Amino acid sequence: MPDKFDFKKLKDEIRNVSLRRIKNHTCDDKIELEEVKELEGSKSVVGQWLSLIFVASSAVKMSFKAYYYTSDANYFTSKALGYDSVDKVSKDQVDDFIKEFCNLVAGAIKESFELGGTKSLISLPLVTRGQDYVFFQVKETESNPLVLTDIWDLTLDEHSITCRIVFEVWDEEVIKKIDLLAFGAEDEEDGDIDFF
């Protein structure tokens, strides 16, 4: 077992699993993973909307957030539903699409915890206003808890969803046991998209 956990490798694996899951969920292989772009005078990295989900154990608490604007999420959702126009997409369909994407990513992280021997719980995903991120902010630190963060964009035809992951690590020995191989495995097909 390594003396120090390779968080860069964990970040890379989480980015990759989010890309694979969004490609499967959207049914579009052209989606690309990019560093966050904040366009001056245009969109902020904090979107109009925020979907988030939590995975927690006694040693690690993780949140996965997806920030998005309605026009961008409508585009991703219309692709997933096979619509030729974003005008056919309802707000409920968009919310369900984004929440299920968060659930798919967090589920992969929870599975990697459990394959490493750490029991964990997963919350239901929720959607709130983008500016509500202030209620979920955690500052990165090197003390207890060790807080590790990452942020990236998933982009399709100039539409993007910004993803952010935050780990609060209370026991570094447990995070060393995360099964990174679980992230490397090819995702099973997500199957048909069910909107409730």
Side-chain angles (χ1 to χ4, degrees), residues 46 50 52 54 61 63 65 67 126-139 164 166 168:
V46 176
L50 163 65
L52 70 152
F54 298 95
K61 179 181 167 190
S63 65
K65 301 174 187 82
Y67 299 93
L126 62 97
V127 171
T128 187
R129 299 168 307 174
Q131 67 261 33
D132 289 345
Y133 80 95
V134 297
F135 299 110
F136 305 104
Q137 268 187 310
V138 178
K139 301 246 188 266
R164 178 180 290 248
V166 177
E168 292 178 60

Side-chain angles (χ1 to χ4, degrees), residues 25-43:
H25 192 47
T26 307
C27 306
D28 198 314
D29 212 31
K30 297 181 300 191
I31 300 170
E32 295 180 358
L33 191 150
E34 299 177 352
E35 293 302 320
V36 169
K37 294 181 212 166
E38 187 155 354
L39 306 174
E40 289 185 31
S42 183
K43 293 182 180 178

Side-chain angles (χ1 to χ4, degrees), residues 29-129:
D29 212 31
K30 297 181 300 191
I31 300 170
E32 295 180 358
L33 191 150
E34 299 177 352
E35 293 302 320
V36 169
K37 294 181 212 166
E38 187 155 354
L39 306 174
E40 289 185 31
S42 183
K43 293 182 180 178
S44 165
V45 72
V46 176
Q48 174 182 1
W49 298 102
L50 163 65
S51 181
L52 70 152
I53 190 167
F54 298 95
V55 176
S57 73
S58 60
V60 180
K61 179 181 167 190
M62 185 279 310
S63 65
F64 178 77
K65 301 174 187 82
Y67 299 93
Y68 60 96
Y69 287 85
T70 300
S71 60
D72 294 323
N74 283 359
Y75 189 75
F76 278 84
T77 306
S78 70
K79 292 291 188 181
L81 295 173
Y83 293 163
D84 56 359
S85 169
V86 296
D87 297 334
K88 296 180 180 179
V89 178
S90 72
K91 168 97 169 77
D92 287 341
Q93 289 172 318
V94 170
D95 289 348
D96 288 343
F97 173 82
I98 294 289
K99 287 191 296 186
E100 182 58 18
F101 166 61
C102 289
N103 196 45
L104 291 169
V105 175
I109 295 167
K110 180 183 188 302
E111 181 180 9
S112 72
F113 283 176
E114 297 200 347
L115 289 172
T118 302
K119 294 277 185 208
S120 57
L121 300 171
I122 190 169
S123 72
L124 291 173
L126 62 97
V127 171
T128 187
R129 299 168 307 174

